[in-house]
Amino acid sequence: MPGKIETVRVALAERSYDIEIGSGTLASLPEFLRARTDSDHAVVITDGNVEGLYADAASDLLVGDGWEVDLFAVDPGETSKSVEVVEELWNVMLDEGADRKSIVVAIGGGVVGDLAGFAAASFARGLEFFQVPTTLLAQVDSSVGGKVGINLPGAKNMVGAFWQPRGVLCDVDAMQSLPDREYRAGLAEVVKYGVILDADFFAYLEANIEAINVRDAEVLTHIVQRCCRLKADVVEQDERELTGLRASLNYGHTFGHAFEAIGEYEELLHGEAVAAGMRCAMQLAVRLGRVDAATYARQETLLTALNLLVDPLEADGQDLLRLMYRDKKTAAGKLRFILPSRIGHVELVSDVAESDILASLEV
């Protein structure tokens, strides 16, 4: 039976929705959906790793509750966020009779959520969409806020939409089945929230290293709830990334996305690339005199304790710069970086010399 449920409300007028977080919540999926949709046809999208762990059982629960369910599993990994795979999804949905009254349910990590969300946003001009994230990274970050999309070979998340889910159901028990590398990758986004928005939360992470490392359900429930609340606060104020506030969520990502692309989305997990990117961004902030060495050391110490001291991929600096210029935060041909001024606060910084950017790769 589910334990204590934490609920985060994302207030976006008619697009508002709840995020329910707790231990054992997956068992309540049919009730969760029934409370939020009149549909009785669910297209469940997952990947080959999650299918046997959670998606099959979740689909069985829905069938037992009277739903018509079509389950589609893509190959695990970032390479499934492609034009070819989403086209395959569209055709499967067409063949299975999906229509405007069908819903899409994403069960899996960030790749599944982004891909399924884009399929939902684009098929029949938009289907209701639900997120059931099963990785830490997806629970604290990618499942919240409505950003969905796919990659182009040279640019991550360059094709997509803002398509808010109708609800997000997080079961922290799913963390127990995550490989250590995947769990650690999710913790990178957790650390990010502390650096950019909440010094007290950063201190909470520092004080609960042991519980985090053993995946304590109570601590994880608090972590997921706090990260979701922090992201929801930003999304409510800047849903479509127009004011610059939402860009703060991309701390470490300008570097990180370049590392992912240079590794062809196969050498580093997204969270690992973000961890490396945060190290470079903090190093850049030190070089620019925005933070002191002690602040840099504090982030390094936390990343080390969480086994996240990821080095940037070795690559030609000019190749990395070329990839960074494709970043969505670039404006008028100039790179812009999210950089801290202290733990708990970041700013968007322009006119950074390329020499400082290249020097910041040496962490």
Side-chain angles (χ1 to χ4, degrees):
M1 291 293 293
K4 180 184 177 183
I5 304 297
E6 299 279 356
T7 300
V8 173
R9 181 72 171 172
V10 184
L12 293 169
E14 73 278 2
R15 297 177 307 287
S16 299
Y17 57 94
D18 291 327
I19 306 166
E20 289 195 358
I21 306 148
S23 173
T25 56
L26 194 57
S28 64
L29 178 61
E31 294 81 3
F32 183 81
L33 296 181
R34 290 289 186 200
R36 293 164 176 82
T37 182
D38 295 326
S39 177
D40 58 7
H41 178 213
V43 178
V44 176
I45 300 174
T46 188
D47 69 26
N49 289 338
V50 179
E51 183 178 14
L53 287 170
Y54 303 110
D56 281 339
S59 297
D60 289 343
L61 285 174
L62 293 177
V63 169
D65 193 54
W67 290 76
E68 177 188 352
V69 177
D70 292 303
L71 175 63
F72 185 78
V74 302
D75 291 336
E78 192 75 28
T79 54
S80 282
K81 282 175 54 175
S82 68
V83 174
E84 293 78 17
V85 174
V86 79
E87 182 180 11
E88 186 178 357
L89 270 177
W90 288 328
N91 284 313
V92 167
M93 292 164 71
L94 186 65
D95 292 342
E96 297 299 338
D99 58 26
R100 295 293 299 277
K101 294 184 178 180
S102 303
I103 66 170
V104 172
V105 182
I107 303 180
V111 167
V112 167
D114 286 356
L115 175 67
F118 184 63
S122 51
F123 188 87
R125 295 188 175 89
L127 305 183
E128 289 186 334
F129 171 52
F130 292 84
Q131 289 264 27
V132 185
T134 59
T135 67
L136 181 58
L137 189 148
Q139 289 191 5
V140 301
D141 193 73
S142 61
S143 68
V144 181
K147 278 188 176 181
V148 298
I150 56 176
N151 302 327
L152 296 178
K156 184 179 172 69
N157 295 331
M158 191 53 68
V159 178
F162 289 94
W163 193 248
Q164 298 295 343
R166 296 295 301 145
V168 181
L169 186 65
C170 298
D171 190 338
V172 298
D173 289 354
M175 299 309 99
Q176 300 305 319
S177 64
L178 275 182
D180 185 68
R181 187 182 176 195
E182 293 275 358
Y183 179 65
R184 301 291 166 186
L187 289 173
E189 294 282 2
V190 172
V191 172
K192 177 196 77 175
Y193 281 107
V195 176
I196 67 174
L197 290 169
D198 192 339
D200 289 342
F201 181 59
F202 191 94
Y204 174 86
L205 299 176
E206 292 174 313
N208 287 276
I209 295 294
E210 183 177 353
I212 295 169
N213 283 335
V214 299
R215 312 188 195 192
D216 178 83
E218 183 177 347
V219 169
L220 283 175
T221 297
H222 174 72
I223 285 174
V224 175
Q225 184 276 334
R226 187 60 189 150
C227 290
C228 287
R229 183 66 267 162
L230 289 168
K231 184 165 187 179
D233 289 345
V234 172
V235 171
E236 288 169 359
Q237 297 175 71
D238 187 19
E239 180 183 3
R240 300 180 67 86
E241 206 166 274
L242 299 176
T243 70
L245 178 62
R246 186 163 179 168
S248 66
L249 297 171
N250 287 324
Y251 172 58
H253 286 58
T254 300
F255 286 104
H257 284 168
F259 299 149
E260 285 184 278
I262 210 78
E264 298 181 342
Y265 302 112
E266 293 181 342
E267 291 194 41
L268 290 177
L269 298 176
H270 175 67
E272 292 171 336
V274 169
M278 288 193 297
R279 298 183 67 204
C280 294
M282 186 68 82
Q283 177 86 311
L284 181 57
V286 172
R287 288 187 63 84
L288 298 179
R290 302 183 62 81
V291 297
D292 58 19
T295 303
Y296 175 84
R298 194 174 169 198
Q299 178 181 272
E300 290 278 288
T301 299
L302 181 56
L303 291 175
T304 300
L306 297 175
N307 197 22
L308 270 172
L309 204 67
V310 181
D311 292 328
L313 290 181
E314 290 189 12
D316 180 80
Q318 293 301 318
D319 288 342
L320 287 169
L321 278 174
R322 175 177 50 81
L323 290 166
M324 288 183 202
Y325 275 108
R326 297 181 182 178
D327 187 84
K328 293 184 291 296
K329 290 183 296 303
T330 300
K334 294 183 178 180
L335 286 175
R336 301 188 299 172
F337 291 87
I338 305 300
L339 299 179
S341 55
R342 61 181 184 275
I343 296 295
H345 182 76
V346 291
E347 296 170 350
L348 190 61
V349 179
S350 302
D351 294 323
V352 180
E354 289 187 356
S355 58
D356 286 325
I357 298 169
L358 292 172
S360 299
L361 297 170
E362 302 297 324
V363 294

